[in-house]
Amino acid sequence: MKVYYVLLISFLVSTGMHSQEFFETKKTPNTVTKHKISYQDDYSWLENMRSEDVNHWVDKQNEFTNNHLLETSKTYSLVSKIREYDTRTTYSLPNKVGNYFYASYRKDKKKLASLYFMKSLDDEPIEIVNPTKIYPEKNVTISGYYPSKNSSNLAYKISIDGSDKQEIRFVDLFKNKNLDDVLKNVKFSNVSWNKDRGIFYKQNSNKDFFAQDSTFKLYYHKIGNIQDADELIFDTTETRNSISFFTSINKIFVIETNRTNGFKNYYYSDLDGDYFKLTKFIENDDSDFQFINYYKGRIYFTSKKMNWGDIRSFDIQNRKDEKTVIPQIYTHLLERTFFSDDYLICKYKTLGKYYIIFYDYDGKLVRKIEVPNGMDIEFMNFDNKTKDFYFGVYSYTMPFRNFKVNIETGKEQPFFSLTNPPKPTLFPLNYFETKTITYKSRDNVDIPITIIYKKGLPLDGNNPTLLKAYGGFGVVSSPNYDTGLLYFLEKGGVFAYAEIRGGGEKGEKWHEDGMGLKKMNCFNDFIDAAEYLIKEKYTCPNKLAITGASQGGLLVGVAMTKRPDLFKVAIPKVGAFDMINFDQFTVGNYHYREYGNVKNEDDFINLLSYSPYHNIKKEVNYPTTLIITSENDDRVPPLHSYKFAAALQNRTEQKNPIYLKVTKKAGHYGDSSTYEKFLNEKAEFYSFLMYHLNQ
């Protein structure tokens, strides 16, 4: 039987037969009724993701898909070209946290990246964490690092085989020696130090890998103790509310968020020793108050009444002592705020432009740093003694260029170091055209979109085009330099990124207008972007592809099932496609505000109206599709991709091929643990894209 299967695979690939003609996935008719409305869930058996049957099915899907990806890679040999581009890429400066600089490097491109530190930017990096030495047989990545107050110890998190459930380990930085402390079952947690004595972290209680998430406990670990001796600080097991926390100066702050309505309770405790008593200082806040930081006895926050973002403060002992420090700048989004001894450092975003302003603590503008349109600016570090500010500038088509500017004198210059020497640019700075404009949605709203293509490219409606977006959770998009995208653009492709509603690019109202019962605005904006690109002759339906990851994967699933006539290719990554059962697994039950709760009839009807898995029609031939997921994705479980792929494939009218790729030993972000894996994933994506758009 196995020999027959291999021969049949070879026959299918060589004859160009389609995936749905080979895969006749077991269908178990299952009619479900909620709120007196019936729908089909015929592939629910694929929810048993660790079963032998499902694993066998996944292996078949992977074998078929990998054979096709091998074919596309032979047509477009991208690996060598992307590798060449990567060798000429410049990167951001090491990150200064506490007293030292930190960076991850791959000295062997076939091995995992290690963490290094240095006392100055001119020092030779010293390796302090090598994941291969911790678990030689596993896929281990360093997901975060946190020095103690005096930088004597470093806590770091590692992810094993892609899971969001992680471990925290420790290094004595003075001796460059591993400590014995190991904390397990850590999930969705930052790490905050109590000076140099210990850390706060969140622990997960799940027994089943893909069950509803149960990260409801905040613990304190004293260095030198075993994990079983850690002190429980805060517990929301009964309410199932989410927890966030951080330490600042001599206090810990805990924020409890109601999972249903988003209301928040705020607590703090002094850090005078190893005893903590939390005091509630804001109760049942309706999200108008958005915490930024605690500094010199004052709480700094932004009010959501000011849609574009302002900064206000009050004395922690006297809420009535509230004042506006920095008012909002209309149409300019306050994206991030950093605190130094003397300055509030604010990053702003407006249409196609980013900049940073230094204010003093009275709100007076000290220095404004602007970069060319289409380029983002990234905060690196600020030297309180010399007043030198280090920052990076980058775009979709230009890698990091690092600079320093003296805030007092205004003197600015490029900055190079031992780990970031100067390199020539891959292309002249004017080689690509980048423009950020707006298009009208169907309800007459201006939607920002960034469009990039090679200068001089004829806009004749026949260009291979990739459209991407996210549109959820108030996330603010930013450029992502990608050498695979460079190759696509250099070969005559067009790339477009739409800042659709549901994201946060135009403030909290932009988010609210694309969430809950208004979620369809998000999907319609994306579809309208596609129609705009076609109308303006950038491309045509036979040359247009769409992609997105996570919420962006859902976006692609909705777009291709609502308007299959608009797209030639769809590549959704780690998407949620069964929105009726979304809350039954992992983190879905945290997202009722974003998507709705199926227990509520109005929410259920809305979710059913766009859930991609439930909106596949028997008579429609959907676009050529590559569905990408990972077997250990415990954020958006692979069951969504499994069920969506099976439902698309098992229809006689589906003539375009539907491929499913399941990455092994990987989670929500795929497998980029080694450079070679990262390179191959990128090459596969763009090879598939160009192969099918150019047919």
Side-chain angles (χ1 to χ4, degrees):
M1 186 66 182
K2 289 182 179 178
V3 173
Y4 171 73
Y5 171 72
V6 172
L7 290 173
L8 184 55
I9 285 285
S10 300
F11 171 74
L12 288 169
V13 171
S14 65
T15 58
M17 292 179 67
H18 302 304
S19 60
Q20 78 286 344
E21 295 178 40
F22 174 71
F23 288 109
E24 293 183 4
T25 301
K26 179 174 66 177
K27 190 174 182 179
T28 54
N30 180 26
T31 302
V32 184
T33 302
K34 283 188 173 78
H35 302 293
K36 299 180 181 180
I37 299 173
S38 297
Y39 60 91
Q40 293 301 118
D41 188 6
D42 297 339
Y43 299 98
S44 57
W45 68 276
L46 289 167
E47 294 173 4
N48 191 8
M49 291 163 279
R50 297 298 198 229
S51 72
E52 185 177 343
D53 284 350
V54 173
N55 284 332
H56 180 65
W57 180 85
V58 167
D59 288 342
K60 279 187 173 184
Q61 295 275 354
N62 267 345
E63 187 171 353
F64 185 78
T65 298
N66 288 336
N67 272 284
H68 179 66
L69 292 175
L70 183 62
E71 179 186 359
T72 64
S73 66
K74 288 178 180 177
T75 305
Y76 292 93
S77 301
L78 268 70
V79 169
S80 59
K81 181 56 69 173
I82 294 175
R83 192 192 303 274
E84 176 192 335
Y85 286 178
D86 286 346
T87 60
R88 296 170 61 187
T89 293
T90 49
Y91 299 94
S92 62
L93 295 174
N95 185 29
K96 188 176 186 183
V97 188
N99 296 337
Y100 304 130
F101 295 87
Y102 299 87
S104 293
Y105 297 117
R106 295 183 177 101
K107 292 197 171 181
D108 184 334
K109 293 184 177 180
K110 294 183 179 179
K111 293 185 178 180
L112 306 173
S114 293
L115 180 65
Y116 293 77
F117 87 124
M118 57 205 81
K119 294 181 180 179
S120 79
L121 289 171
D122 294 320
D123 287 348
E124 184 73 31
I126 300 171
E127 183 182 84
I128 51 174
V129 180
N130 185 337
T132 306
K133 294 179 181 178
I134 302 172
Y135 290 109
E137 303 303 319
K138 293 184 180 292
N139 184 0
V140 182
T141 54
I142 301 166
S143 56
Y145 50 88
Y146 314 84
S148 62
K149 182 177 180 181
N150 294 321
S151 295
S152 57
N153 292 319
L154 180 84
Y156 64 92
K157 292 190 302 183
I158 57 171
S159 171
I160 302 165
D161 291 340
S163 174
D164 280 330
K165 190 179 285 188
Q166 302 176 340
E167 292 182 4
I168 298 175
R169 292 170 177 256
F170 300 84
V171 176
D172 182 327
L173 289 175
F174 292 165
K175 299 177 181 178
N176 195 2
K177 179 183 177 182
N178 294 323
L179 301 183
D180 293 332
D181 307 48
V182 177
L183 309 180
K184 299 195 174 186
N185 297 322
V186 178
K187 196 170 185 183
F188 302 133
S189 179
N190 63 319
V191 173
S192 291
W193 279 90
N194 175 18
K195 301 180 176 61
D196 295 289
R197 292 195 290 263
I199 66 161
F200 298 92
Y201 70 97
K202 291 192 296 185
Q203 189 178 51
N204 177 272
S205 304
N206 278 58
K207 303 300 180 185
D208 186 323
F209 191 79
F210 293 112
Q212 282 188 340
D213 186 70
S214 61
T215 308
F216 304 124
K217 294 181 178 180
L218 174 64
Y219 281 93
Y220 174 66
H221 172 77
K222 187 175 180 179
I223 296 298
N225 285 354
I226 61 172
Q227 188 173 12
D228 287 345
D230 290 352
E231 179 185 354
L232 180 63
I233 302 298
F234 199 76
D235 187 355
T236 60
T237 301
E238 290 187 9
T239 62
R240 300 181 70 83
N241 290 339
S242 61
I243 306 168
S244 58
F245 65 95
F246 67 92
T247 57
S248 181
I249 316 299
N250 61 342
K251 288 179 171 53
I252 178 172
F253 293 88
V254 178
I255 304 168
E256 176 190 15
T257 304
N258 187 294
R259 69 190 183 111
T260 302
N261 59 27
F263 284 20
K264 292 178 171 64
N265 293 322
Y266 294 83
Y267 309 81
Y268 77 89
S269 173
D270 291 329
L271 298 177
D272 294 328
D274 294 319
Y275 172 74
F276 316 103
K277 182 180 179 180
L278 290 171
T279 300
K280 186 185 295 184
F281 68 99
I282 296 179
E283 184 173 8
N284 287 328
D285 180 76
D286 64 356
S287 298
D288 175 58
F289 173 92
Q290 188 169 339
F291 205 121
I292 300 176
N293 201 2
Y294 168 73
Y295 192 71
K296 294 184 178 180
R298 299 187 70 85
I299 299 290
Y300 287 82
F301 70 101
T302 184
S303 168
K304 291 188 179 178
K305 291 177 182 176
M306 300 293 108
N307 180 62
W308 298 96
D310 63 351
I311 298 179
R312 305 180 182 199
S313 75
F314 61 84
D315 190 299
I316 195 169
Q317 303 296 335
N318 181 13
R319 177 70 194 270
K320 293 181 180 179
D321 175 40
E322 181 179 314
K323 66 178 183 179
T324 298
V325 182
I326 301 170
Q328 76 167 344
I329 304 174
Y330 188 71
T331 73
H332 292 233
L333 180 72
L334 175 58
E335 188 177 321
R336 294 186 67 187
T337 304
F338 308 90
F339 288 70
S340 74
D341 289 350
D342 300 312
Y343 305 114
L344 286 166
I345 308 168
C346 298
K347 178 181 176 182
Y348 291 92
K349 169 184 169 67
T350 188
L351 188 67
K353 189 172 182 62
Y354 297 84
Y355 60 91
I356 283 177
I357 295 180
F358 278 69
Y359 298 96
D360 66 20
Y361 278 88
D362 291 324
K364 179 183 177 182
L365 190 152
V366 177
R367 181 75 58 189
K368 184 177 183 180
I369 301 168
E370 299 185 89
V371 296
N373 285 3
M375 293 185 180
D376 200 350
I377 180 170
E378 187 70 21
F379 179 102
M380 297 302 176
N381 68 79
F382 178 69
D383 190 319
N384 284 299
K385 293 180 180 178
T386 65
K387 307 303 181 188
D388 285 331
F389 173 54
Y390 297 82
F391 64 96
V393 175
Y394 66 100
S395 72
Y396 283 107
T397 58
M398 188 188 79
F400 265 91
R401 291 290 185 265
N402 300 302
F403 298 86
K404 77 172 181 178
V405 59
N406 187 274
I407 297 307
E408 292 182 341
T409 67
K411 181 181 178 182
E412 181 179 318
Q413 63 190 70
F415 183 82
F416 304 105
S417 67
L418 180 67
T419 57
N420 285 275
K423 294 181 181 180
T425 58
L426 278 167
F427 299 99
L429 294 180
N430 63 349
Y431 192 77
F432 297 106
E433 184 86 24
T434 299
K435 53 186 178 183
T436 300
I437 53 179
T438 62
Y439 63 93
K440 289 289 186 183
S441 68
R442 64 193 65 189
D443 55 342
N444 205 38
V445 174
D446 289 324
I447 314 294
I449 187 169
T450 297
I451 306 172
I452 307 171
Y453 51 91
K454 188 164 59 174
K455 185 164 286 189
L457 184 75
L459 302 182
D460 57 4
N462 199 40
N463 299 306
T465 299
L466 178 63
L467 171 63
K468 186 177 182 179
Y470 186 77
F473 302 97
V475 171
V476 179
S477 61
S478 61
N480 177 36
Y481 177 74
D482 178 351
T483 48
L485 177 61
L486 275 185
Y487 182 86
F488 175 69
L489 294 170
E490 206 280 326
K491 293 299 180 183
V494 175
F495 174 74
Y497 192 99
E499 297 178 3
I500 58 180
R501 282 172 285 185
E505 290 89 352
K506 296 175 78 172
E508 179 57 24
K509 189 177 184 303
W510 199 246
H511 174 211
E512 292 172 353
D513 284 346
M515 63 181 279
L517 293 176
K518 296 181 180 180
K519 195 67 192 176
M520 200 62 211
N521 284 339
C522 158
F523 309 127
N524 286 338
D525 288 352
F526 190 62
I527 293 168
D528 292 347
E531 292 188 319
Y532 173 81
L533 292 171
I534 294 166
K535 176 186 173 185
E536 296 298 317
K537 301 295 184 182
Y538 289 98
T539 191
C540 63
N542 201 43
K543 292 287 186 178
L544 180 57
I546 50 175
T547 192
S550 197
Q551 149 67 28
L554 165 64
L555 177 68
V556 170
V558 175
M560 64 177 279
T561 51
K562 292 292 184 184
R563 289 296 307 275
D565 56 304
L566 284 178
F567 312 111
K568 177 69 177 296
V569 175
I571 311 178
K573 299 180 180 181
V574 293
F577 304 113
D578 179 356
M579 296 305 294
I580 301 305
N581 291 303
F582 181 60
D583 68 338
Q584 298 302 304
F585 301 90
T586 62
V587 301
N589 63 322
Y590 294 145
H591 300 322
Y592 290 140
R593 286 191 70 239
E594 187 69 27
Y595 298 116
N597 187 338
V598 293
K599 293 177 182 178
N600 178 292
E601 184 174 358
D602 289 341
D603 287 348
F604 168 75
I605 292 171
N606 188 51
L607 286 162
L608 190 63
S609 73
Y610 67 75
S611 177
Y613 173 64
H614 299 94
N615 280 273
I616 297 170
K617 295 179 173 60
K618 291 182 180 179
E619 68 277 8
V620 175
N621 179 25
Y622 292 98
T624 297
T625 302
L626 173 61
I627 302 166
I628 300 173
T629 188
S630 300
E631 66 172 356
N632 291 333
D633 187 351
D634 46 357
R635 194 173 306 182
V636 180
L639 70 91
H640 289 275
S641 295
Y642 297 173
K643 294 171 73 174
F644 190 48
L648 285 168
Q649 290 170 347
N650 273 15
R651 295 170 308 106
T652 56
E653 292 303 315
Q654 186 61 43
K655 306 304 180 185
N656 295 321
I658 307 294
Y659 299 98
L660 173 66
K661 180 175 176 62
V662 183
T663 307
K664 300 293 186 176
K665 290 187 176 183
H668 196 60
Y669 298 103
D671 187 359
S672 58
S673 55
T674 70
Y675 173 73
E676 294 300 326
K677 290 179 179 179
F678 171 76
L679 175 66
N680 287 326
E681 277 197 0
K682 186 184 294 189
E684 283 181 350
F685 177 92
Y686 285 102
S687 294
F688 182 90
L689 176 72
M690 296 173 71
Y691 179 91
H692 287 284
L693 287 184
N694 290 323
Q695 281 188 333

